[in-house]
């Protein structure tokens, strides 16, 4: 419907994108069904395309792709338009940086067990999320990963080798920063657990914290401030990006 109304209005994807405040790539992804439009997109599109209410009604019939946990979907939607994203992970390689073999090992380890279709859906959803790193070159991504996550060798040595290679490759992207928190760290601001923070296009901040079979979406400014303070401290406690790359290269050589 977006594409039909846009073409009826005589607008290219790039022109329409300028009117609604989204890139032509985002417009294309919505029109092709690769990306779930958020509320801001729908409302902006309505204003540009006649404000008939047709798009608002149509949006109510959209179904999100399988493979994303229900408690994660709101966060995943915000990820698609974030202008900066920060992620500290102490349990596993962050989903945006996982290789397929590594992710499939995680899916295989799920309890209760997943069906083959659920595994396929989960990987498809994760692979789609990972497109953000390259499709949004103006979005700044920062990751802090605990060294012990890689020392665990999830999936075995070969899977870990590929995982480390992928981290090194991702670290070469201009919009991606990867820092490793060393195994021995006498002072650590992240002992409360994983932290995810993002800045939305309107410069509003949100947070997310995931636990066992649940996730907490955070919009309270006081809590966001606390998480930002902790994350900032961890950035100073973790290895620099250059030292992190050197450590990853040494770890790769030891496998």
């Amino acid at each position: 419907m977006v594409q039909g109304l846009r073409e009826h209005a005589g607008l290219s994807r790039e022109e329409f994108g300028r009117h609604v405040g989204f890139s032509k790539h985002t417009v294309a992804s919505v029109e092709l069904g690769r990306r779930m439009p958020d509320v801001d997109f729908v409302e902006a599109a309505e204003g540009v395309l006649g404000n008939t209410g047709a798009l608002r009604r149509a949006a109510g019939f959209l179904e999100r792709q399988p493979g994303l946990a229900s408690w994660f979907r709101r966060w995943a939607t915000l990820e698609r338009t974030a202008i900066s994203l920060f992620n500290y992970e102490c349990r596993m390689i962050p989903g945006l940086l996982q290789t397929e073999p590594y992710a499939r090992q995680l899916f295989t380890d799920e309890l209760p067990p997943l069906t083959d279709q659920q595994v396929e859906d989960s990987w498809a959803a994760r692979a789609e999320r990972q497109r953000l790193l390259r499709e949004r070159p103006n979005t700044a991504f920062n990751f802090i990963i605990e060294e012990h996550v890689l020392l665990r060798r999830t999936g075995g040595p070969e899977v870990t080798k590929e995982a480390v290679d992928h981290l090194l490759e991702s670290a070469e992207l201009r919009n991606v920063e990867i820092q490793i928190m060393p195994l021995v760290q006498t002072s650590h601001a992240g002992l409360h657990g994983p932290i995810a923070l993002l800045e939305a296009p309107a410069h509003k901040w949100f947070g997310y914290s995931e636990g066992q079979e649940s996730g907490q979406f955070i919009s309270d400014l006081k809590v966001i401030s606390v998480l930002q303070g902790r994350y900032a401290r961890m950035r100073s406690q973790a290895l620099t990006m250059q030292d992190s790359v050197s450590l990853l290269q040494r770890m790769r050589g030891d496998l």
Side-chain angles (χ1 to χ4, degrees):
M1 289 190 68
V2 172
Q3 182 174 356
L5 291 172
R6 173 182 62 75
E7 292 177 347
H8 179 72
L11 296 172
S12 68
R13 283 174 174 165
E14 186 172 4
E15 292 169 333
F16 178 69
R18 286 199 296 268
H19 286 301
V20 298
F22 291 85
S23 70
K24 66 178 181 180
H25 302 293
T26 298
V27 174
S29 292
V30 170
E31 291 183 350
L32 296 172
R34 294 199 305 257
R35 180 165 297 180
M36 188 79 169
D38 59 18
V39 174
D40 291 339
F41 183 97
V42 175
E43 290 302 316
E46 274 284 10
V48 173
L49 300 176
N51 208 25
T52 64
L55 292 178
R56 292 190 191 96
R57 290 192 295 272
F61 291 94
L62 292 176
E63 294 184 0
R64 299 183 185 276
Q65 68 183 109
L68 292 178
S70 58
W71 59 82
F72 185 74
R73 288 172 180 167
R74 187 177 180 187
W75 179 262
T77 298
L78 286 172
E79 270 188 341
R80 300 184 188 115
T81 57
I83 59 177
S84 58
L85 189 144
F86 302 85
N87 188 294
Y88 162 64
E89 185 55 74
C90 56
R91 307 162 302 169
M92 65 192 78
I93 296 174
L96 289 171
L97 295 173
Q98 292 174 7
T99 61
E100 182 173 352
Y102 184 94
R104 286 184 178 276
Q105 181 63 52
L106 298 180
F107 301 144
T108 300
D109 291 339
E110 282 282 350
L111 290 173
L114 302 179
T115 66
D116 290 344
Q117 188 59 55
Q118 286 174 318
V119 169
E120 295 305 317
D121 290 342
S122 295
W123 168 245
R126 191 151 301 178
E128 175 66 21
R129 282 182 61 218
Q130 292 179 354
R131 293 161 60 101
L132 294 175
L133 297 180
R134 287 174 169 79
E135 287 187 352
R136 297 189 61 81
N138 297 121
T139 296
F141 295 88
N142 178 272
F143 301 91
I144 300 175
I145 308 170
E146 290 284 348
E147 181 182 355
H148 70 74
V149 167
L150 299 168
L151 294 175
R152 185 177 295 127
R153 298 191 180 184
T154 298
E158 292 304 316
V159 170
T160 304
K161 284 181 184 178
E162 185 176 342
V164 173
D165 285 341
H166 184 63
L167 290 177
L168 289 168
E169 178 185 338
S170 299
E172 294 178 357
L173 298 173
R174 287 195 300 274
N175 63 327
V176 176
E177 298 179 349
I178 297 176
Q179 292 180 261
I180 302 298
M181 183 68 78
L183 187 62
V184 177
Q185 183 65 35
T186 58
S187 179
H188 195 320
L191 297 181
H192 290 281
I195 295 176
L197 293 162
L198 65 76
E199 183 182 8
H203 304 293
K204 185 174 182 180
W205 285 84
F206 298 93
Y208 178 76
S209 180
E210 189 166 274
Q212 296 282 341
E213 295 301 307
S214 65
Q216 180 184 11
F217 182 84
I218 304 166
S219 58
D220 186 293
L221 294 180
K222 292 183 179 179
V223 179
I224 295 292
S225 179
V226 170
L227 297 181
Q228 287 176 324
R230 291 175 182 171
Y231 197 93
R233 177 68 62 84
M234 279 192 289
R235 291 188 76 175
S236 68
Q237 294 170 333
L239 299 177
T240 65
M241 289 181 288
Q242 183 176 356
D243 288 344
S244 295
V245 167
S246 295
L247 176 59
L248 288 171
Q249 291 171 337
R250 292 197 302 272
M251 296 175 73
R252 174 64 173 81
D254 291 339
L255 289 168

